Amino acid sequence: MKRVSSWLALSLALALPSALAGSLTVTQSYALNDAAAQDAAWFRDGRRVAIAVENTVIIADPAGKALMTLRGPTEPVRRLSVSPDGTLVAGRSDGVLYVWRVAGGTLVRRWPPAAETQALPVVRGAFRADNSLLVLQNEQDAPLLALNATTGVTTSLADVGPEDLITSADGKTALIVDYGKAFLVDTATLSRKGPAATYTKISNAALSPDGSLGAIAGDSGKVQVLSAAAPARTLATSLKDPGIAFLNNATLLLMEGGSLEQLAVSTGQKIGGLLKSPLGEDAVNVSANGAVIGLSDDYPPSLFAVTRPAGSTFLRFPASKAQGVGLAGAQAAAVQFDEGFLLGNPNRPLDSGDASVPVLASAAGVTVALLKGDGGYQVEVVQAGKLVPGPQLSDFAENLQLFQLSSDGRFLLTHDGFTLALTDLARQTTVTHSADDLDLGDALLDLAAVSGNGTQIALVTSDGSALRVNGQTGQITSSTQLPEGTEAELLDIAPDGTIALGVRRDDQAEVWLFKKDAQTPFKQLEFSGWVDDLRFSPNGQALALNVSGSYSGVIVLDTSSGAELARSAALSMYDGGLTWNAGGTQLLVGRGVNGRPGSVTLLNFKR
């Protein structure tokens, strides 16, 4: 009970902060394109398409031109549904159902309301013919609800809802997926329409434009077609686990890894040969006119004609976050899709040759890039708007698992699970310590951080051991075991030896603060959502947290007390990277300000 009450108290504090000692204000926003997409749904007339792009919904025309942007959520939007009359769009984000009116782009409903803190998370909302929504919640015994989007009133339609469902473009038919069975129902009466299909595994489902046919995929190499008039039929496919969509009642489209297959619904025969897109899509959403929106995890949406997937092109919509960020002096930099950019108006690419840039490490106005090419990894430093050669990396046996700077930007720490390398950037000298040297037994290196002067390394191993290590000699100076059920996720160490450890326990985020040489935390802070990053300021007197959940943004704490000093405006998405400037007066975060275009935000910090 004590833990619940403290969680509620902190949640309220995060939602409604009192006057804080400091401030954290937006001073600059930077934009990146090529945002990733999670879902798409065509309007019934085929003249517009709704695309879930990160934490927004883009309404676009059939050529992919953005007409408007629907905003509100801070987390990614998924499972879109368009009302039959085209006036409303619904999508789920972080367990909440959002409903927008297309005319004007206004958010007309958030369900459950923010005040209902004990409500079950929403799995999906799907429109019926009368513009009400069938609502599923994330609980096996939760009822199936009908939501009036205008009034917010809900009605229970069934004591227990199915596992999942989708509705047809006209809203009159639903395809129900219910723990091993799939079948069609009338959305008004919930009466079954035709025989059920059984399955072992299901990953994708589709309905024909008029709702008379349904299809499910998931069992390797098989697709089942359902109808109200006949038993389910199994069609063979050369694809293992494809995304599926009906072009019309006669043709079913299947796509996986950029390979597009067309099957005749009546016979199961392939129509033509296997067509190929260069962009590797795994899901398709097709209009009545044969325009296809393709989707692939963590990539932008694509557009192509069903007859010519080889002409597939990415749709370049504004992003709400970056892959990583850095400050090189006052110059902001970011990584997106393993490509580095210097941010400005316009953005300029960082020339990395043929190598990709998967990671930026940044602290105190110093930014180093990890480049990955055919010859392996190399380190380069961002200086005067260019990448210049940095120190040589150790010969790691495995892929790198850590690439992080000390809070003052002087030392680079890297490891591959077996070997830990500490590099002085100015002297370009490296000291290595292996798991065997540290006598870790069968445990591997997991989290690691180095203090500003390079004398102390904080480590957490794969078996939950928390260690302090002398950075030069490799001698373990203290050791303790994390409590059972605690998953360590983030780690940093200040110049004075104060340690910040981000953990997840009882499905809740916590940040623990340890004084120098202490084995128990002097402060344990709890958060209702997630802590995505934490970084000490160069002098170690402040700790910045990049959080998402009931409040999404950046929080700055006083290191000595753990008290909150300042917080930013609400930010979009999550993670994206976090770094301080050299003076500890600015923070760069790889997230936009929520409700506005932007991918990276520069914040001014005042104590």
Side-chain angles (χ1 to χ4, degrees):
M1 189 65 186
K2 182 178 180 183
R3 184 172 178 81
V4 173
S5 60
S6 65
W7 178 86
L8 290 173
L10 185 67
S11 295
L12 290 173
L14 288 174
L16 299 168
S18 57
L20 299 174
S23 62
L24 200 56
T25 55
V26 176
T27 186
Q28 181 75 48
S29 291
Y30 302 96
L32 292 168
N33 282 318
D34 296 340
Q38 300 84 232
D39 197 8
W42 285 91
F43 285 65
R44 193 176 175 188
D45 60 8
R47 296 179 180 177
R48 291 169 295 175
V49 60
I51 308 174
V53 177
E54 295 182 348
N55 64 314
T56 67
V57 178
I58 304 290
I59 306 299
D61 67 14
K65 179 183 177 182
L67 304 174
M68 67 172 9
T69 302
L70 309 179
R71 302 183 185 276
T74 59
E75 302 281 322
V77 180
R78 306 178 189 279
R79 299 191 168 185
L80 292 178
S81 183
V82 177
S83 65
D85 64 2
T87 61
L88 300 172
V89 171
R92 185 202 75 179
S93 175
D94 196 29
V96 175
L97 182 65
Y98 291 82
V99 185
W100 292 269
R101 192 175 306 284
V102 176
T106 55
L107 180 65
V108 297
R109 185 62 51 197
R110 179 192 191 278
W111 196 92
E116 294 186 17
T117 57
Q118 302 303 313
L120 295 171
V122 171
V123 172
R124 184 189 296 275
F127 280 106
R128 299 197 292 179
D130 62 358
N131 279 10
S132 66
L133 288 127
L134 295 175
V135 178
L136 291 178
Q137 294 173 283
N138 189 23
E139 181 64 48
Q140 191 167 348
D141 296 329
L144 174 64
L145 303 176
L147 169 67
N148 184 312
T150 303
T151 65
V153 173
T154 58
T155 304
S156 179
L157 301 179
D159 291 339
V160 178
E163 183 180 4
D164 203 356
L165 61 81
I166 57 174
T167 54
S168 56
D170 62 8
K172 295 180 180 180
T173 302
L175 173 56
I176 301 290
V177 174
D178 197 24
Y179 303 101
K181 291 185 178 181
F183 49 89
L184 304 177
V185 300
D186 183 292
T187 57
T189 63
L190 297 187
S191 57
R192 189 175 295 193
K193 300 166 68 172
T198 59
Y199 60 86
T200 303
K201 174 189 171 188
I202 188 167
S203 55
N204 297 293
L207 277 166
S208 63
D210 65 359
S212 63
L213 299 171
I216 59 174
D219 293 332
S220 183
K222 298 177 182 177
V223 176
Q224 294 190 71
V225 175
L226 302 88
S227 77
R233 293 181 297 110
T234 298
L235 310 183
T237 170
S238 62
L239 305 179
K240 184 178 179 181
D241 189 14
I244 54 177
F246 282 93
L247 175 62
N248 48 48
N249 283 14
T251 306
L252 185 66
L253 305 181
L254 300 88
M255 193 158 205
E256 183 177 38
S259 296
L260 180 68
E261 187 174 71
Q262 299 186 49
L263 298 181
V265 173
S266 60
T267 65
Q269 297 296 310
K270 293 180 183 179
I271 302 173
L274 199 66
L275 302 177
K276 192 72 178 177
S277 160
L279 302 183
E281 299 92 338
D282 289 312
V284 287
N285 293 265
V286 61
S287 74
N289 303 317
V292 178
I293 297 293
L295 300 170
S296 183
D297 284 348
D298 300 323
Y299 279 91
S302 64
L303 177 68
F304 59 89
V306 70
T307 56
R308 192 172 173 271
S312 180
T313 57
F314 280 137
L315 299 178
R316 302 172 63 88
F317 297 126
S320 299
K321 63 167 286 188
Q323 184 178 330
V325 294
L327 281 170
Q331 174 64 61
V335 169
Q336 186 184 40
F337 297 116
D338 292 353
E339 183 178 357
F341 296 91
L342 296 173
L343 300 178
N345 190 16
N347 299 330
R348 292 182 292 127
L350 276 170
D351 185 5
S352 59
D354 294 331
S356 63
V357 185
V359 181
L360 290 180
S362 181
V366 177
T367 295
V368 295
L370 179 68
L371 275 62
K372 187 176 183 181
D374 293 338
Y377 293 110
Q378 64 186 74
V379 176
E380 299 202 355
V381 182
V382 182
Q383 289 181 357
K386 298 179 180 179
L387 288 171
V388 299
Q392 294 293 315
L393 276 176
S394 298
D395 292 328
F396 291 109
E398 300 290 340
N399 287 333
L400 274 180
Q401 297 179 21
L402 182 86
F403 188 77
Q404 183 171 312
L405 289 178
S406 59
S407 61
D408 63 357
R410 292 173 54 196
F411 293 89
L412 173 65
L413 197 62
T414 51
H415 81 66
D416 64 353
F418 301 94
T419 302
L420 182 76
L422 176 62
T423 301
D424 185 319
L425 290 177
R427 297 177 180 175
Q428 295 209 8
T429 57
T430 298
V431 177
T432 61
H433 309 291
S434 71
D436 290 339
D437 295 339
L438 297 170
D439 198 22
L440 299 183
D442 294 332
L444 300 177
L445 302 171
D446 186 10
L447 303 179
V450 59
S451 63
N453 52 18
T455 59
Q456 292 189 66
I457 296 175
L459 287 176
V460 177
T461 66
S462 59
D463 65 354
S465 296
L467 315 171
R468 289 178 187 264
V469 178
N470 184 295
Q472 300 305 310
T473 68
Q475 179 183 358
I476 295 175
T477 57
S478 69
S479 175
T480 189
Q481 189 71 28
L482 297 180
E484 188 175 347
T486 301
E487 181 181 356
E489 296 183 330
L490 301 165
L491 182 65
D492 201 10
I493 183 170
D496 69 355
T498 300
I499 287 176
L501 177 65
V503 305
R504 195 146 191 95
R505 185 168 63 162
D506 299 334
D507 199 30
Q508 184 164 304
E510 301 182 18
V511 173
W512 298 353
L513 298 178
F514 299 79
K515 297 289 189 184
K516 182 179 180 181
D517 298 328
Q519 296 188 22
T520 57
F522 75 89
K523 195 78 171 181
Q524 292 176 260
L525 301 170
E526 299 177 352
F527 297 86
S528 59
W530 298 83
V531 179
D532 302 310
D533 207 347
L534 51 80
R535 293 296 286 164
F536 281 109
S537 61
N539 64 11
Q541 295 178 9
L543 175 67
L545 308 178
N546 196 5
V547 305
S548 56
S550 55
Y551 161 75
S552 288
V554 174
I555 295 173
V556 178
L557 306 178
D558 176 76
T559 301
S560 62
S561 66
E564 184 177 338
L565 297 174
R567 64 173 55 203
S568 72
L571 300 178
S572 297
M573 299 292 286
Y574 49 85
D575 202 5
L578 181 69
T579 186
W580 290 89
N581 70 343
T585 58
Q586 291 186 321
L587 280 158
L588 188 70
V589 59
R591 304 164 71 184
V593 177
N594 198 46
R596 304 182 202 169
S599 321
V600 177
T601 305
L602 185 65
L603 302 165
N604 276 348
F605 170 60
K606 264 189 175 179
R607 287 187 75 98

